[in-house]
Amino acid sequence: MEIGWVDMVLLMMSLVFCLFGIRMWKMLISIRARRRRVCAGAVVGTYGQARARRMMVVLGSGGHTAEMLDILEEFLRMDSASEIELIAYVVAATDGHSERKALELHAQLLTDIHLVPTIHRTPRAREVGQSYLSSVVSTLIAFSHAWILVLRDRPTVIVCNGPGTCIPITAAALIFNAIGITDAHIVYVESVARVKTLSLSGKILYPICHRFLVQWTPLKQVYPLAEFYGRLV
């Protein structure tokens, strides 16, 4: 039976998707194995600092931003700031408060090394009260924008703590990791307000991020691959 060009194209596309699926599966297995080693204490205290040369920090609004900047301040005091090549803050386009707070923190801690922070304003996937129908378009726009940011900055570490803005960013990073374009490690810190249940972002990212930190014992008991070091903020 003669095979037409349409059949050949479909066959090639199927092969590409299969190879991509295998690569993603192997990457997720590797992530889970690494997280087990981290939880066992094999690389605690060195893993994050060893890779944090190009940092992308996703800020939410209100409490999410306050928590993240507290954590970032502690990290920057421990790490050698002079070795950091890039700090990029990702904020929602309508969130001027988080942008101001990030710049204030940067001015306090990094003035001596003259490292200019990068601010990325990204559209929200869905605004509060937005209809689900219109949010389909805004979600596609948010994902396309996230792909551009990750591809341009090539972060080695992405740090987030729950805002919906982090989902497109982390998804883009995982896809680019899978095809070998980037090697970004995702560190997720669950909000201190979450005592017994994870946030929606946490539930999505728990199986796939490289490090997942919780701040309450009940969450560590339910999610064994999470790391628990007490309250971080």
Side-chain angles (χ1 to χ4, degrees), residues 86-107:
L86 170 76
I87 297 182
Y89 299 103
V90 180
V91 301
T94 55
D95 185 12
H97 172 77
S98 295
E99 179 177 345
R100 289 193 301 271
K101 289 298 183 181
L103 292 175
E104 289 174 5
L105 174 66
H106 183 89

Side-chain angles (χ1 to χ4, degrees), residues 54-60 86-96 98-100 102-103 116-124 142 145-155 157-158 165-166 169:
R54 299 182 63 83
M55 296 180 63
M56 179 171 284
V57 182
V58 184
L59 300 178
L86 170 76
I87 297 182
Y89 299 103
V90 180
V91 301
T94 55
D95 185 12
S98 295
E99 179 177 345
R100 289 193 301 271
L103 292 175
V116 178
T118 301
I119 301 292
H120 295 309
R121 302 173 187 86
T122 186
R124 294 182 188 270
H145 196 264
W147 287 26
I148 294 173
L149 294 183
V150 174
L151 187 60
R152 183 169 61 192
D153 284 358
R154 308 285 179 97
V157 173
I158 298 174
T165 309
C166 73
I169 295 292

Side-chain angles (χ1 to χ4, degrees), residues 34 46-55 75 79 155-157 177 182-186 210:
R34 188 181 297 116
T46 59
Y47 177 83
Q49 293 184 6
R51 298 191 57 85
R53 295 297 171 259
R54 299 182 63 83
M55 296 180 63
F75 175 81
D79 199 19
T156 57
V157 173
N177 284 355
T182 61
D183 186 22
H185 280 59
I186 300 166
H210 297 83

Side-chain angles (χ1 to χ4, degrees), residues 64-101:
H64 281 121
T65 290
E67 289 185 25
M68 177 54 68
L69 293 181
D70 282 345
I71 295 169
L72 183 62
E73 179 177 0
E74 291 299 319
F75 175 81
L76 292 175
R77 291 188 187 279
M78 291 187 298
D79 199 19
S80 175
S82 61
E83 297 179 4
I84 299 176
E85 301 173 4
L86 170 76
I87 297 182
Y89 299 103
V90 180
V91 301
T94 55
D95 185 12
H97 172 77
S98 295
E99 179 177 345
R100 289 193 301 271
K101 289 298 183 181

Side-chain angles (χ1 to χ4, degrees), residues 171-197:
L174 288 173
I175 291 173
F176 285 134
N177 284 355
I179 59 180
I181 294 178
T182 61
D183 186 22
H185 280 59
I186 300 166
V187 179
Y188 184 90
V189 183
E190 186 57 280
S191 171
V192 70
R194 291 290 176 168
V195 179
K196 296 182 179 180
T197 60

